[in-house]
Amino acid sequence: MKYDREYSSIKSVRQTLCKDVANKKLTGVCAGIAKYYDFPRLAVRIVAIAVLIMLPVATGVAYVVASMLLPNSKYY
């Protein structure tokens, strides 16, 4: 799935990693990662759940830290 780079008509606009609040399930971290790397949101969420099952404490801490540090997207 190809995302428009934050709705910009200029394709050379540099995109930063941020939470995608328009497509969020919990806080938008997985949706923001999917948008930044042009991956399907469902695939990123499945990988996140699989890693959460294997390494629950490390993944939980990383998710909470990412949800606090990543800014919200500018466009909804």
Side-chain angles (χ1 to χ4, degrees):
M1 170 181 289
K2 296 292 182 187
Y3 293 99
D4 293 327
R5 293 287 179 207
E6 295 293 335
Y7 303 102
S8 175
S9 61
I10 303 170
K11 296 301 178 189
S12 64
V13 171
R14 185 174 163 196
Q15 182 185 12
T16 58
L17 181 61
C18 59
K19 295 185 288 188
D20 186 6
V21 294
N23 298 306
K24 69 179 184 176
K25 292 293 181 190
L26 291 176
T27 60
V29 173
C30 290
I33 291 170
K35 182 183 261 189
Y36 184 75
Y37 290 110
D38 281 334
F39 288 142
R41 289 186 303 266
L42 182 62
V44 173
R45 290 178 180 142
I46 289 172
V47 168
I49 291 171
V51 173
L52 180 64
I53 291 170
M54 291 186 291
L55 301 167
V57 175
T59 307
V61 168
Y63 190 87
V64 169
V65 169
S67 67
M68 288 189 297
L69 293 180
L70 289 178
N72 291 334
S73 62
K74 298 174 194 165
Y75 304 102
Y76 302 135

